[in-house]
Structures are given as structure tokens and as C-alpha cells.
Amino acid sequence: MLGFEIIGTGHYVPGRPVTNEDLSRVMDTDDEWIFKRSGIRQRHFAPEGSGCSDFALEASKRAIEAAHITPDDIDYVVFATMTPEYVFPGSGALLAHKLGLKGVPALDIRQQCAAMLFGLQIVDGLMKSGAARTVLFVGAEAHAGFMPWEDWEALDPASGKTATPEQRERANKHRALAILFGDGAGALLFRATDRDAGLRAMKLHTDGGAAKLLYVEAGGFRTRPTGSTTTSTSRSTSPRWTDASSSSSR
């Protein structure tokens, strides 16, 4: 059976870096607290009107250039995201179109933090079955719409603005999660090979019983959609997530 190897990589992050100290302008936190618990110093947030396939496109172009191939060499796209532009079509289809790929299968997966592991299993299966020889695997997210602050200018020290007490109180309710998320994309190009390379073994598990510990309620179809639930959501809309640790200090 064929194995696979990485032939190119690329990444892209939008906008200016937002530091931990910048976040302290809109919520009660600081660089020491965030870095000690997460190892994060800064993140990027997408400008209004952009989506994850836009970041994925730039990351994919860089991976294609690094691999010294053309988009025409790609015969399968696997796109991992929990923040797609639409319920449908998938962001993988949007990316394939932007790359000029015609008739190439494009698969979306939504495994959140475990997407890389699930994606590798999929790539391994595609290679071993002979369904694909050159696979573009992309992970991209646009989390800005989930962020719990309303005035984005307040994040920028140059603006001279700060959050109001009411805005800060709202942001504090979700700070345990908000400090972790940012926007951007990474792309990997895999190619089938006869060499002794590829995925050796993997054992994955899923437990849906813990869903209500961390979830986004909006955007689903448990109830019949109305005009208000099918239109696009602005950044000022509060995310409907539940986090058991959101009450932790600072």
C-alpha cells in the first residue's frame, strides 16, 4: 500500500498582532496570567467581512509554492474548520474554487482541536485506497465573531479608547475562552509515496456525552430556522457557549 509524505507547508494570519496586554484593555486579565496558563503572547483577528477560506487560500498558495507544484497537481482537498463561512456549501468547496480547481473533491471536517488527527486518518485512507495522490489539507478558523467585546478599536492602544464598565463585565464572562482563540490558517500538501513513510497507527475516541461542557448553541437546526437565524451574524453578537471554567479568576 502507498504511504504519504509532506511536500509543502504554508500558513497565514490576518491583521495586526493583538497582544495579551491589548486584551487587558477590554477585560480583566494580563500577560503574565495568560502566558502562564496557555503559552500565548499574541493572536490575530480577521477584519470584518473576511472568512476562513480567505486565510486558507493564502496558506495554500504558500504551501503550493514550497512544494514546487501547481494547483492542477492537487486531486483532493480536506478542509478542517469549526467556523465556516456558511452552513453550506462547505469552505473546502470555496477554497477549491478560489484555487481554480475544477471537479476536485473537497471535503469539510469539523473536529475542532482534534482535526489534525482525524485529517491524517482521512489522508491515510485516501492514499492507501488510491483515491488520491496529492492532497491539500488545510486547517483555518475565523473566531473573531465569537469574541465577547463590542468595540474592536478599544483593543488598539493607538486609538486611545477603552472598554466601558458594562462592556468589560460582559467580556469577563467569557475571558477564560476568549484569550485562547484567534484567526488564521495552516496548509499541508501530502503526496503518495512508495517509500516507507506515512501514518503508522492511530487510535481515536469521541465522547458526545460531554457536549454541553463546551458548545456553541447558535447556527444549528434543533429549531426551525427563521429569517433571524439564517442571516449572517455580526461581531457584536454574544457567543452562545458554555464553559465550566469561565468563572475562574482573571
Side-chain angles (χ1 to χ4, degrees), residues 90-237:
S91 295
L94 303 181
L95 172 62
H97 174 71
K98 291 174 182 179
L99 285 171
L101 307 182
K102 298 185 183 299
V104 173
L107 170 69
D108 276 37
I109 62 173
R110 288 199 312 146
Q111 269 60 49
Q112 289 65 257
C113 297
M116 184 67 184
L117 302 179
F118 281 90
L120 285 174
Q121 273 198 336
I122 292 170
V123 171
D124 185 53
L126 291 170
M127 299 296 191
K128 288 180 177 177
S129 68
R133 293 191 61 86
T134 304
V135 178
L136 173 62
F137 176 45
V138 181
E141 300 294 353
H143 290 117
F146 287 151
M147 295 301 102
W149 46 81
E150 298 176 8
D151 189 347
W152 282 79
E153 290 185 7
L155 289 171
D156 187 355
S159 72
K161 302 180 69 174
T162 58
T164 66
E166 293 78 13
Q167 291 170 340
R168 183 174 288 268
E169 181 182 3
R170 176 174 176 267
N172 284 341
K173 293 179 180 179
H174 300 292
R175 63 190 163 193
L177 287 171
I179 63 169
L180 302 175
F181 291 100
D183 299 346
L188 293 167
L189 273 164
F190 294 101
R191 175 162 285 173
T193 180
D194 293 324
R195 295 192 312 108
D196 183 20
L199 185 64
R200 297 301 186 193
M202 187 179 295
K203 190 173 184 180
L204 298 176
H205 302 272
T206 298
D207 180 7
K212 290 300 180 73
L213 294 179
L214 179 63
Y215 73 111
V216 177
E217 182 180 2
F221 289 88
R222 180 177 291 274
T223 59
R224 293 182 180 179
T226 64
S228 61
T229 59
T230 55
T231 56
S232 49
T233 304
S234 68
R235 281 184 173 175
S236 62
T237 302

Side-chain angles (χ1 to χ4, degrees), residues 15 30 33 45-46 88-89 93 123 125-126 133 166-167 178 225 245 247 250:
D30 56 43
W33 189 88
F45 292 115
F88 65 89
V123 171
L126 291 170
R133 293 191 61 86
E166 293 78 13
Q167 291 170 340
S245 64
S247 60
R250 246 188 4 185

